[in-house]
Every structure is written in structure tokens, then in C-alpha cells.
Amino acid sequence: MAINTLVSSFDHLYIDEISRQSPLAQRLIKHFPQEKITWVNEAPFSSSKGALTAKEFDRSKKNIFVTPFKGQFFKRCPGARPGLSCCNYFVLNWGLQCNMNCSYCYLQSFINTPTLTLYSNLEDALKELESFAPSLKDQPLRVGTGETVDSLSLDPLTLYSHDLIHFFKDYPHWSLEFKTKSAAVDQFLQQEHGGNVVVSWSINPQYIIEREEHGTANLKDRLNAAEKCKARGFRIAFHIDPMIWHPDWKNSYLELVHDLTERFSPHDMPYISVGALRFQPEQRHMMRERFGMNSLVTSAEMFPSNDGKLRYEQSLRKEMFSFLVNAFKNRSTAWNLFLCMETPETWISSTGQLPQKTEGLTDLFDSRLIRKHQSASSSSAKVQP
Amino acid sequence: MEFVPLSSLKKDFYFEPEKPWPKSLPAYGWQNQLLAGFDRKEGSALILNGDLIPLFHQLYPTLSLIELSQTFAIFSKHPETRSHLQEWLEPYGLKFSQRLIQFFEKLQLVSPKILQWCNEKKLRARDLEILNAFSSLNDFNFLIEKLLPYGISKSRGVQLFEVIGELLLMNKKDEVLQIFTINSLDAIEVELKRIRFPLSSEKLTFQKKELANFSWPSHVKPQWIRKGDSTKLKLEMELSSFDDFEKKLKLLSQVNLNMQKEELWP
Ligand code: SF4
């Protein structure tokens, strides 16, 4: 998306006076027209407190508030809870809220701030990271940036990718993961990197993208962006998540597997993670109010799972995962899939083993493996100087 | 202590309290407003001093959902209270937000019969979130009123309100109306869920039917049940002796193999 289009998709930009001199504020004011900028001493929309209405939530996507983050940047992965099998990594939240609009977005279950907040003090996050170095520099440490904000959709404006990529160059054992549904990669492609940056895409069949992932890049553009990253030597990964049931789901997902496997090989990525639609029960209210009941998500047949989330019936999940695993394996047994945020029962019934025992999974996030993949694939990828 | 005649006080804060004001207590007023004892026709009221909101909390430490909704309608407009809504709501366990305001506005569109039921069952705001999805509650009121005569429990009611609400939002009013020609609450519930969850209902019906095709040992009652996101087989057995137990286990093991062959296990 061109910067102008991105800028015009917002109603207003509010900048905290404290952030005035920050590189982020300085960059944004260059792109936003004067009449859309207001300097403030406190958060805007102060009457919006507590749980948001659907209208307030919609409005929060259209208004940026730049302010420093006051607190600790690094938190553990939300999947690391008892009873859930998941990866173990750190998340860096440099913002809160997303400019895209997926019907199932889990931000709907917990955001109660009336703006899309961008933190102006990324340097503090990097300092925190740096402080881990004395004890962890040679350990595998994985940092993801797409938990409370899309990693890249606003990057043409923030250019935070530059600082992050640059920082990680000095930490070859650590890895940085961008997770996105956008195709915004051009702005960092020329950055020199340390081979430890994973750019990952959440993907779904185009049919689902059109119906449920509003404002995101279409499938072709996401795959094109991934090809560009691969060509520049960035690691890439895909998350087929959330799989969404619809009457023609098998054909849709077969097409997706076809599109992906035609362009990429198992050696291009350490894994593909897979998950099915799930959400916190409270989230259904906001989704219903914002997207009505004609959405495949709001009208889905969801039931409470052991971890309290609403999910498809276990047998349907199993069927969907097995179908997808087979579709990949039919193309090549080298494809490595794992189920993210799934309960151990579904793991076992779809893959036949516990996640810790799935070959290749335990070392998925080991930077040595990333480096192993890196050296294997960089010889085949056309890395441009 | 200042007593004034009731007739001299205004009733701006009259909100139809559910219980009459206790006879042992005087009516209370604040400035020129009556605050408690609205049901009294004559007599006098003791004028209280202090801030209105804390006084109101002392007089009415608990309020039902309907009373809250009624008082909210008054407090949100009255010049003495409209800028103190947050302070007023918090002691009642409610967090002030635009969403809560929207909810109270929706609650005022709910029919008195339904509100009465909600009150009796002590429903809370979060039990009625479905209301926020509607711009008009006419159809919702109409259908839910048909459900109430069945004497539903609180948890079942909350669940069915949501199912019916969602079906309305899915434009299935006519199908829901058809269901209300049935005369049993259990059957109505099954039918409502069949329309709202057609795939899983169909699957469960199929599994139930198939179960009958296996040779179950005598005095063994098999039944598929839905537990959260999974379907489980529940067996009820009557066993008379060690040998009987052994025999039934053998037969059951055979049934299990056959079920596996027929891919009946979820
Ligand atoms: S791209 Fe991600 S964060 Fe943004 S709306 Fe979609 S699910 Fe939410």
C-alpha cells in the first residue's frame, strides 16, 4: 500500500507532546497533512473509558496516537499457558491496535483504548533487549512483534523494521520475527541483516481473505512479498491460521496449498504453523456487533473448549488439520507443519504425537536450526547484493 | 434535623423501586427532591445533607437490573447527576463505559415482561450482551415473550436468548416462529440449536442413529453426549456378577472394533 493511501486511511493523528522529538513523530508529521495532526498532552477521546462500543472500536482503528510506552516491553508468548501446547518466545509490542480489520481478530477481546497507539520509544525496548545480552547473548532468543499490532502494515510509516533489523545484526543467536497480513516489505528489503530475521505471513484462501480479512493484502500480494523477502535472504514462514470452515473449505484450502507449494519449497521455511478458528467467548459480542451474523466467523458453530476458548468441534478440527497436513504431504513429505495454540488432544489426534515429540518441532525455534536453514537455502535463493 | 412536608418535594428521582420503602424509616429528601419513600402519599420527609450520590448509595445499597436501568435513565439526564455517572455506577459493580451506557439504552427497549423475568432471575449486564447487537428489539421481544411461559431457568434462558437473538440476526425469524408451534421446551431447545448449529446437530443425529445398528450387550445403554467442543459416548450398564461383567466387556470390545471400522468415533 502506498504511503499516501495508508495516510489517507486514517482520520487523525494525535501526538503526545512528550513524543514530539521522537524519530517516529518526526517521520509521521512529514507524511500526514497538517489538518490531520493534533499535538496533545493527554490521550485523546478521554470520554471513551472501559469496554468499547462497536463504533468506538471502529473509530480506534482510524485514529493514531503516538506516545511513549510506560512499562516493560517484553512479555512471554500468550500461548505459553498450562494445558496449551505452544512455542515459547518473547513478544515486543510496539503498538496497540491494527489498521486492518479481520472479523476474528482477537484484539477485539481485549482492546479498550480508543486509538491505534504507536509507542514512540522503541529505543527503550531495544535497551531492554540489550540488557539480556550479558546472560543470553549466545542463547537462542526469539522475539516476535505481531501480537498487539500487525508487524508490518504500518511499517512504511514507522520504519521500525530498520531499527530492529539493525539491532538483531549484532545478535546472531537471536531471531526476530515479523508477522503480517500485509504485503508491506519494500521499505526494509534493502536493509543489511544478520540472517536471523523471519518474515512470516498469516495466510488463508482468497475466498476467506475477501470475506473475513478486511483491509489486508490479497493472497497473491502476500506470496509475492514473501518471494521478495526470500530473494533478499530473509527467512520466511507461513501461518495458515485461522483455518475457517465453509461449505467449500476443502477446495479452498487445496488451492491455497497449491499456490503456496508452487512458489515455495519446504526448504524455504522451517515450518508452517496451522490453527483453526478460536476466540475468547466474550469476543463474540464485539464481532457480532461489528460484522453481523453473515460472517463465516460469527455464524460459525463454536463450542467451549477445555481452555475456555470457543472452538470448532474437536472432530471437525481434527478433520481440517488432517486434510491440510495430507494436502502438503501429498506434495512433499518434507513439509513441516505444526499446530499452534492447539490443545494436546488435537495435536495427538492430528499428528499422532505430542508437540514436544514431533520431529523438528523442538528445535524449530532454536536459532541454530534457523541458521542451518539459512545456509541451506541461501545457496539456492537468489540473494541480491 | 429538618423535616419538610412530602408535598413540598419534587420527584425528579422517582424510579419505581421494586419494594415499598420500609415503614419503620422516614421518607428522605435532599434539597428540594424526594429520594426515598416515593410510595407515600402524605406525611413528611427528613432532609439529608451532603453529596447526592453517596446519599443515594446509602439509601439504595443494591439495585436490580431494572432499577439500575430506570435510575440510569434519570441520572444520565438530570443536571445534578449526569456528570457523576461513573461515581454512581461503581458501587453497584458496574464499570462506566460508553458500552454500558449503550447497554442501558437497549435495556429500556426490552419488554416489561422480559425485564420482569430478568429481574427475578437476577440477570447481570453481561448476561444480556446480545441486546447490543440489535438496533430494534421488536422481534426479539416478540419471540422471547413466547419462551417465558415455559418457566425456564436462568442459565437456560440466557443461552436461549442468545441463540434466538443470533437466529434473528441471521434473518431466520420465520424458522424460529415455526418452532414455537411445538409444545415442549426441550423440543424447542433442540430445534433452535438445530437451526443455529446445523452441521454439528446433523452429525450428532447421524451418530445417534448409527449407534442403534450395533449389537450392544443387554442392559447396556449407549448415548452420545456433547461436552463442550467434543462428543463423547456415555454408557450406562447394569452388571450382576463377575462373569456378567467379563462377558459384557468382551461384547463391548467387539462393538468398539465395529464402531472403529464404521468410523463412528469422532
Ligand atoms: S491483521 Fe491481525 S491484528 Fe490486524 S485485524 Fe487482522 S487479525 Fe487483527
Side-chain angles (χ1 to χ4, degrees), chain A residues 284 289 301 314-315 317, chain B residues 99 162 200 203 226 229:
Chain A
R284 70 194 192 282
E289 289 157 37
E301 300 185 28
Q314 208 173 58
S315 58
R317 279 170 15 228
Chain B
R99 191 171 176 86
E162 181 156 345
S200 18
K203 200 163 166 188
R226 163 75 39 76
D229 63 345

Side-chain angles (χ1 to χ4, degrees), chain A residues 308-321:
Chain A
K309 282 190 183 155
L310 295 179
R311 295 173 188 267
Y312 291 130
E313 222 192 0
Q314 208 173 58
S315 58
L316 178 61
R317 279 170 15 228
K318 187 176 123 187
E319 186 188 348
M320 292 172 85
F321 294 145

